[in-house]
Each structure stands twice: as structure tokens, then as C-alpha cells.
Amino acid sequence: MGRYLDSKRPLVLYEEECAGTYFVDKSAMLEELFPLIGKGNKYLCITRPRRFGKTVMANMISAFLGRGQDSRDLFSGLAIGTSGNFDRHVNRYPVLSISMNEIPRNCSTYEQYISRLEKGLVRDLKQAWPGCVTDEDAAVWDILNDIFEADGARFVFVIDEWDYIFHRDFVTEKDKESYLDFLRNLLKGQPYVELAYMTGILPIAKYSSGSELNMFLEYTMVSEEKYGKYFGFTESEVDVLYG
């Protein structure tokens, strides 16, 4: 377990949400993700404004699918606990849970930002597969491919606030292009990707003018109703909370 790979953090944070006063069980969304795992349409991006529970849902997905922590007891008491697919998917996958809104101390360049992420990923992968990580300066996707070739490991990527870096003053247009290339190289057409779930504020098309991230099925607040009931509170849920 590490900062990104099979991290303890998503489960701890989701447990806190479950214990909160205004918690609403949205775990049924997991049932809709199961058919995507390992399939051609395994790239999913949910974009919503702030305060719509995107991070909560990202933590839920990581906590349920991730093999780093035993979350069976928690989820067995939620809606997903009644699913016939529960045992097949709970705590079954190596999950890389990445919050893109985390930056180095005194960060003032894109290079500092992305280097922190790359070094953290390589460190976690080396700890879990020491025999496969022989060159720590290699690209993360090369290391992941080496791991896949060695033992067939396939990963679930949960990426929260993928567009955060675009809101930073120090990021140039060239930096944005480099970042899109990083995500493309990491995710697009890679055999080690079991599922890629990504969240953001603004649609991918806002930033990706080319084909860098065109593998994602994108669900926005205005264009796609699917998954809408899992973000924010519905009218009936508000009535229950304040009834």
C-alpha cells in the first residue's frame, strides 16, 4: 500500500462520510460500473460543479474495488451489499487513486507538480513489484506495462479533479499540452487499464481539442442524464434528510 496504490485513505474518508449526519447511500452506482470493468468502454468521466459529491463518489469507488483494505463490512450494510455481483468485485483490484488537486509545497511550476505525481507512482509500484521496477527514471506507463507483462496485473484508475491544474496561474499553454499527453500516455490504449474513472469540473472538450482523451465516455450535468441521481441530492433525498 502507498500514497496512490491501494491507499488506506479512500476507505477512511468514505467511512467518515457514511457516519455523517447528511449521508445518503449512493453505492448503487457501483452496480452500473461493474459492466465497464475490463471492457472496451472502460473509460468514464463525470463532470459536475463543485460541491456535488464527486470526491465522495471517487473515494467510494476506490474503497469498494481496492484490495488494500477490507471494506466488506462497510459496504455489505449499504445498497450495493444486496448486489449479486458484490463478492465478485469487492476488494478485488489494484487501485491507483489519484487526487489531482494535491501539489508540492511551494509549487510554482508544472514540472514540480507532475514530478511529484510521477515519483509517487513509481515509488508505490516499486514497493509492490520490486522485480519489475528496475529503472526508476522510466516513464510510469513503461513500468506499468512491464508489470503487466510480468504477471498480468491490471489496474483501476480513479482520478479526481483531473482538470485542477488548468486553474493554476503558473500553468502555460505548453504545460497544458504536456499534461494532456501525460494522461493519454498513461491511459489510452493501455492493456493494464481495467477501468479508468475520472472526475472534473468542466468537460474534457473544454481542454482537449484533439484526440488525447477521446476514449472517455463523458457525462456532464446538462448533456447526459445517466449517473445524475448519484451526484448531489434529489428532491426526495432532501425531504428525507430534513423531514
Side-chain angles (χ1 to χ4, degrees):
M1 293 183 288
R3 178 186 299 169
Y4 304 114
L5 176 64
D6 296 330
S7 172
K8 298 178 182 178
R9 184 168 62 174
L11 177 57
V12 170
L13 293 176
Y14 189 64
E15 284 176 328
E16 291 179 353
E17 288 291 336
C18 291
T21 304
Y22 302 110
F23 173 73
V24 174
D25 183 358
K26 305 276 190 176
S27 63
M29 181 182 177
L30 290 161
E31 189 75 71
E32 300 197 38
L33 298 184
F34 295 156
L36 306 181
I37 295 174
K39 304 296 176 58
N41 56 344
K42 59 190 174 184
Y43 299 94
L44 174 67
C45 182
I46 304 289
T47 55
R48 290 291 188 278
R50 297 188 186 279
R51 312 306 300 174
F52 266 74
K54 299 186 301 297
T55 297
V56 173
M57 297 302 287
N59 286 332
M60 180 192 75
I61 294 166
S62 295
F64 181 87
L65 296 178
R67 65 183 187 180
Q69 293 273 80
D70 184 356
S71 61
R72 181 178 294 269
D73 287 347
L74 173 65
F75 284 100
S76 62
L78 300 179
I80 194 61
T82 63
S83 168
N85 292 309
F86 183 88
D87 290 330
R88 180 182 175 187
H89 295 287
V90 66
N91 303 143
R92 295 286 184 175
Y93 305 93
V95 171
L96 287 164
S97 180
I98 307 170
S99 297
M100 289 297 190
N101 63 347
E102 296 176 349
I103 62 177
R105 182 171 60 89
N106 299 324
C107 182
S108 60
T109 68
Y110 170 73
E111 183 59 33
Q112 291 174 328
Y113 169 83
I114 203 68
S115 291
R116 175 184 181 272
L117 174 58
E118 290 178 309
K119 289 177 181 178
L121 289 169
V122 171
R123 183 187 61 245
D124 287 359
L125 293 170
K126 183 177 182 179
Q127 181 178 356
W129 286 275
C132 296
V133 184
T134 57
D135 180 5
E136 295 187 31
D137 292 326
V140 175
W141 43 89
D142 288 337
I143 292 173
L144 286 164
N145 270 304
D146 287 343
I147 292 170
F148 172 76
E149 292 292 341
D151 74 357
R154 305 186 74 193
F155 299 81
V156 170
F157 289 79
V158 179
I159 299 176
D160 192 25
E161 296 199 40
W162 79 274
D163 54 344
Y164 173 82
I165 192 65
F166 291 97
H167 305 290
R168 308 304 295 181
D169 292 339
F170 59 77
V171 175
T172 67
E173 290 302 314
K174 184 176 180 180
D175 292 336
K176 294 177 184 179
E177 294 176 4
S178 296
Y179 178 63
L180 291 173
D181 283 339
F182 172 81
L183 291 177
R184 174 179 57 82
N185 288 327
L186 181 66
L187 300 172
K188 191 171 185 177
Q190 296 289 13
Y192 54 74
V193 177
E194 190 86 83
L195 175 72
Y197 175 90
M198 194 162 73
T199 77
I201 297 175
L202 297 176
I204 291 173
K206 174 76 175 180
Y207 300 121
S208 179
S209 59
S211 61
E212 297 94 344
L213 303 180
N214 64 354
M215 68 284 199
F216 277 93
L217 297 172
E218 185 170 16
Y219 295 87
T220 71
M221 192 170 182
V222 296
S223 65
E224 298 286 349
E225 293 186 7
K226 189 174 183 180
Y227 304 115
K229 62 184 178 182
Y230 301 117
F231 294 87
F233 293 147
T234 64
E235 184 175 351
S236 61
E237 289 168 347
V238 172
D239 288 341
V240 171
L241 289 171
Y242 292 97

